[in-house]
Amino acid sequence: MKKVFCIGELLIDFVAENQGKNLSVAKEFTKKAGGAPANVACAISKLEGKSVFVGCVGDDPFGNFLLNILEENNVDTSMAQKSNIFTTLAFVSIDDDGERDFVFSRGADKELKYDSTLKKDFKNNMVHFGAATAMLGGNLEEAYNRYFFDALTKDSFISFDPNYREDLWKHKEDVFIKKCMPFIQKSHPGKFSLEEATLLSGKKDLDEACNFLHQTGVAIIVVTLGKEGTLLSTRDFRKTIPSIEVSPVDTTGAGDAFIGCMLKQIAEHDSLELLLESEQELSQIVSKANKAGAITTTNFGAIESLPTQKQLDS
């Protein structure tokens, strides 16, 4: 089975549960481990895959807590770094439908330094670029781009999730779009929300958005549509794969569970080229990934809510 390297942020989510979506009125917060790439790494490992987290936390109690969580979930943290900057924090409020409001206090995640020794490990493996903060500057953005180049030169299987956060890119959407384009051009699965697909393509119609993104270069597009399922699009076919019915309480991490489950299944295949040409197999992969994402919404907190292989098979 191939390893999946997940590059980007690992942070503390302070979650206001059952207090509405408005952070300004929340009074109580629960500490949770979070960060999209870390969630994906845990999603893969909880499904008995092999994942490596590449990111930076503070050399503080929060950073220790986060790395311990990853290690407890069998994620390889040997490439994680520590900084004397405080661990990045996110404050999250959740309404009755599981929808969220975010505020970031950015710290150590931006301090990730490029490590050239990692390049050799990319060969015959997979690299997932799914950070929400990697294009906001700092050492992390430089490392992210250099690892992207390494993945290209080692002919790695590259996956990309833009993880757009409106609060981080307000009035700078054009910059975000420009920075995403090289990753979209070279990614094998590009995973998008409906908002991201329309933003990055400039098209309001989803079919037109997919056509644009395919023309940009991405071979396989998955657009998560919540309870409606996921649109799976290749240059040869396009279809919506339904999800299972659940009663969501927290949508945090659902997209990460989806792409993590998808990548774990892809990592099990010897011939990625043949897999990518099979409508039936891709549809089955997305269907199972839909289930993983749905299960994750039924509890609070991303990592602890990620399904195990046993749950997914039941």
Side-chain angles (χ1 to χ4, degrees), residues 67 129 139 148 226:
L67 292 178
F129 295 91
N139 290 331
F148 178 55

PDB file of all heavy atoms in Angstrom, residues 67 129 139 148 226:
ATOM      1  N   LEU A  67       0.331  16.412  18.570  1.00  0.00           N
ATOM      2  CA  LEU A  67       1.167  15.321  18.046  1.00  0.00           C
ATOM      3  C   LEU A  67       0.809  13.992  18.709  1.00  0.00           C
ATOM      4  O   LEU A  67       0.819  12.941  18.061  1.00  0.00           O
ATOM      5  CB  LEU A  67       2.643  15.649  18.245  1.00  0.00           C
ATOM      6  CG  LEU A  67       3.182  16.812  17.396  1.00  0.00           C
ATOM      7  CD1 LEU A  67       4.647  17.068  17.716  1.00  0.00           C
ATOM      8  CD2 LEU A  67       3.000  16.548  15.905  1.00  0.00           C
ATOM      9  N   PHE A 129      -2.132  17.781  -1.000  1.00  0.00           N
ATOM     10  CA  PHE A 129      -2.028  19.211  -0.695  1.00  0.00           C
ATOM     11  C   PHE A 129      -3.441  19.711  -0.357  1.00  0.00           C
ATOM     12  O   PHE A 129      -4.257  19.922  -1.253  1.00  0.00           O
ATOM     13  CB  PHE A 129      -1.441  19.970  -1.891  1.00  0.00           C
ATOM     14  CG  PHE A 129      -0.022  19.576  -2.204  1.00  0.00           C
ATOM     15  CD1 PHE A 129       0.247  18.552  -3.104  1.00  0.00           C
ATOM     16  CD2 PHE A 129       1.042  20.204  -1.574  1.00  0.00           C
ATOM     17  CE1 PHE A 129       1.547  18.165  -3.393  1.00  0.00           C
ATOM     18  CE2 PHE A 129       2.350  19.819  -1.845  1.00  0.00           C
ATOM     19  CZ  PHE A 129       2.603  18.803  -2.759  1.00  0.00           C
ATOM     20  N   ASN A 139       6.909  30.594   6.009  1.00  0.00           N
ATOM     21  CA  ASN A 139       7.715  29.462   5.564  1.00  0.00           C
ATOM     22  C   ASN A 139       6.852  28.351   4.994  1.00  0.00           C
ATOM     23  O   ASN A 139       7.282  27.621   4.093  1.00  0.00           O
ATOM     24  CB  ASN A 139       8.544  28.916   6.734  1.00  0.00           C
ATOM     25  CG  ASN A 139       9.654  29.848   7.169  1.00  0.00           C
ATOM     26  OD1 ASN A 139      10.180  30.608   6.363  1.00  0.00           O
ATOM     27  ND2 ASN A 139      10.007  29.816   8.441  1.00  0.00           N
ATOM     28  N   PHE A 148       5.502  20.587  -3.607  1.00  0.00           N
ATOM     29  CA  PHE A 148       4.706  20.379  -4.820  1.00  0.00           C
ATOM     30  C   PHE A 148       5.623  20.106  -6.013  1.00  0.00           C
ATOM     31  O   PHE A 148       5.401  19.172  -6.792  1.00  0.00           O
ATOM     32  CB  PHE A 148       3.837  21.611  -5.069  1.00  0.00           C
ATOM     33  CG  PHE A 148       2.994  21.546  -6.319  1.00  0.00           C
ATOM     34  CD1 PHE A 148       2.123  20.493  -6.540  1.00  0.00           C
ATOM     35  CD2 PHE A 148       3.067  22.561  -7.265  1.00  0.00           C
ATOM     36  CE1 PHE A 148       1.336  20.440  -7.686  1.00  0.00           C
ATOM     37  CE2 PHE A 148       2.290  22.518  -8.412  1.00  0.00           C
ATOM     38  CZ  PHE A 148       1.427  21.456  -8.619  1.00  0.00           C
ATOM     39  N   GLY A 226     -22.862  17.773   0.185  1.00  0.00           N
ATOM     40  CA  GLY A 226     -23.576  17.534   1.432  1.00  0.00           C
ATOM     41  C   GLY A 226     -24.471  16.311   1.338  1.00  0.00           C
ATOM     42  O   GLY A 226     -24.075  15.263   0.831  1.00  0.00           O
TER      43      GLY A 226
END
